[in-house]
Each structure stands twice: as structure tokens, then as C-alpha cells.
């Protein structure tokens, strides 16, 4: 009920940052990899998408701006925990058919509290936008993406043969990125 890992219904309403080239450009990645030819561009782009997913899953932070919609039931305190951080905006809160305007967002914990009319057991729908704007992504996360792409690129035969890959350096950066 809202606090657990299982949310009744969560959907991505829309993706706002649609061009991942705004996060780390192909040119930046090729410079990082010391590559000046185009034959591997599509491969590098696929590794970039996988690296962004890896960073998002590792840190719990959204590098791509998305709008989410959650339908759930309030906990016993009438609070809502939002897991997709950083939160950019609360776009709408509805309890039943009524739109709610009064609430408090605790930025450190991403808990919505003091929501007028939200009592324990009542169903709510919240629409919110989370994720970094491309220019606001912490540099440590950008560097982690570059390291992961580099790892995928240089160890691609290990990926193909399911031997595993070493992401320890990127993981250390992502631990730092988790607290940014």
C-alpha cells in the first residue's frame, strides 16, 4: 500500500527527454573511446542506452525525464512515497474524482504528506514528473555512463559469450552519484 515495493498501478504517461544524445552525445562517447570511424556508431549508441538504464537502476535516479501516473491506496498516515527521483513536479493529485491542491513534498525523502482529504485506505491517483533535465545531470553520472559504455565496448566478446563484465569503476562512481 504505497510504501511497499509493490505499487498497485504505475505507468509512464510520457517520456519528456526523448533524445538521449542530450545526456551524452555519440561524439563525446567516441572521443572517450578514442574512436574516429563510424562503423561502430550504432553499437556505441546501443551501449549508451544500456548504460543509461544501468545507471538508473543502480542509483534509483532517473536520468531521462518522464511523467508517471500512480494509482494506489494511502497508508495509515495518509502519506505517499515517490520512488522515481529526482522529482521535478507534482502535476496532479486526485482522490476519487476530486483534484487536491494542498500537499507537502519532503525533498529529502520524496514523501508527499499533508495531502488534504487523503485518509488511510483511500485510493488516490498522482501524476508527477521526475528525472534530471539534461543539463542538470551530475557530472559523476555522465562519467559513469562513459565508463560503462567503454566497458561494454572493450569487453563486447565477453558479453556475447556470457562471461560477465567488470563494472567496478563505474559502480564506485554510481555510489557517489547516489548521494548527489
Amino acid at each position: 500500500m504505497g510504501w511497499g515495493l509493490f505499487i498497485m498501478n504505475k505507468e509512464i504517461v510520457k517520456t519528456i527527454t526523448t533524445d538521449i544524445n542530450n545526456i551524452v552525445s555519440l561524439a563525446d562517447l567516441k572521443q572517450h573511446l578514442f574512436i574516429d570511424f563510424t562503423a561502430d556508431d550504432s553499437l556505441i549508441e546501443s551501449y549508451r542506452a544500456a548504460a543509461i538504464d544501468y545507471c538508473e537502476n543502480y542509483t534509483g535516479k532517473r536520468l531521462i525525464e518522464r511523467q508517471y501516473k500512480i494509482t494506489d491506496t494511502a497508508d495509515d498516515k495518509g502519506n505517499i512515497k515517490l520512488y522515481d527521483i529526482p522529482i521535478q513536479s507534482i502535476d496532479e493529485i486526485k482522490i476519487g474524482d476530486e483534484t487536491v491542491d494542498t500537499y507537502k513534498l519532503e525533498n529529502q525523502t520524496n514523501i508527499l504528506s499533508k495531502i488534504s482529504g487523503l485518509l488511510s485506505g483511500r485510493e488516490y491517483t498522482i501524476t508527477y514528473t521526475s528525472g534530471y533535465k539534461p543539463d542538470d545531470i551530475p557530472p559523476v553520472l555522465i562519467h559513469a555512463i562513459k565508463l560503462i559504455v567503454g566497458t561494454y565496448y572493450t569487453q563486447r566478446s565477453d558479453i556475447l559469450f556470457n562471461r560477465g563484465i567488470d563494472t567496478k569503476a563505474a559502480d564506485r562512481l554510481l555510489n557517489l552519484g547516489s548521494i548527489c
Side-chain angles (χ1 to χ4, degrees), residues 12 14-17 52-53 56 62-68 128-131:
I12 297 174
K14 66 180 173 181
T15 301
I16 297 165
T17 305
I52 290 169
D53 284 345
E56 286 189 331
R62 302 294 157 233
L63 303 181
I64 297 173
E65 277 186 284
R66 297 177 183 98
Q67 186 180 55
Y68 294 93
Y128 65 99
T129 302
S130 72

Side-chain angles (χ1 to χ4, degrees), residues 2-13:
W3 286 99
L5 294 175
F6 303 100
I7 295 174
M8 184 189 300
N9 181 12
K10 176 180 171 185
E11 64 180 286
I12 297 174
V13 178

Side-chain angles (χ1 to χ4, degrees), residues 3-177:
W3 286 99
L5 294 175
F6 303 100
I7 295 174
M8 184 189 300
N9 181 12
K10 176 180 171 185
E11 64 180 286
I12 297 174
V13 178
K14 66 180 173 181
T15 301
I16 297 165
T17 305
T18 55
D19 184 4
I20 61 175
N21 205 41
N22 291 335
I23 296 174
V24 181
S25 72
L26 177 61
D28 286 345
L29 290 171
K30 289 174 75 170
Q31 181 181 9
H32 176 76
L33 296 169
F34 298 106
I35 294 174
D36 60 1
F37 53 89
T38 60
D40 286 347
D41 284 3
S42 62
L43 178 66
I44 295 166
E45 288 174 337
S46 71
Y47 289 157
R48 174 180 54 194
I52 290 169
D53 284 345
Y54 185 94
C55 289
E56 286 189 331
N57 291 329
Y58 193 98
T59 64
K61 295 186 176 188
R62 302 294 157 233
L63 303 181
I64 297 173
E65 277 186 284
R66 297 177 183 98
Q67 186 180 55
Y68 294 93
K69 184 176 188 177
I70 294 175
T71 301
D72 203 349
T73 306
D75 70 2
D76 60 349
K77 296 178 184 175
N79 294 330
I80 302 171
K81 172 81 172 166
L82 302 175
Y83 292 96
D84 300 289
I85 56 175
I87 306 299
Q88 295 289 342
S89 64
I90 304 300
D91 304 318
E92 181 179 64
I93 300 174
K94 283 190 155 196
I95 301 171
D97 292 332
E98 294 183 35
T99 301
V100 175
D101 296 336
T102 307
Y103 62 87
K104 180 179 180 183
L105 176 62
E106 303 286 343
N107 287 327
Q108 296 299 318
T109 60
N110 296 303
I111 294 175
L112 277 172
S113 62
K114 300 181 182 177
I115 303 167
S116 61
L118 186 60
L119 303 173
S120 175
R122 291 213 46 204
E123 189 172 286
Y124 65 86
T125 301
I126 178 170
T127 306
Y128 65 99
T129 302
S130 72
Y132 289 103
K133 295 186 182 313
D135 293 338
D136 295 336
I137 298 173
V140 68
L141 296 179
I142 299 295
H143 192 64
I145 291 169
K146 291 177 180 179
L147 283 176
I148 293 166
V149 169
T151 299
Y152 289 170
Y153 188 78
T154 59
Q155 296 180 18
R156 60 188 175 270
S157 64
D158 290 338
I159 293 169
L160 289 173
F161 296 108
N162 201 23
R163 291 187 217 143
I165 56 170
D166 180 9
T167 59
K168 289 180 190 128
D171 291 350
R172 284 195 219 47
L173 284 176
L174 291 172
N175 283 331
L176 291 173

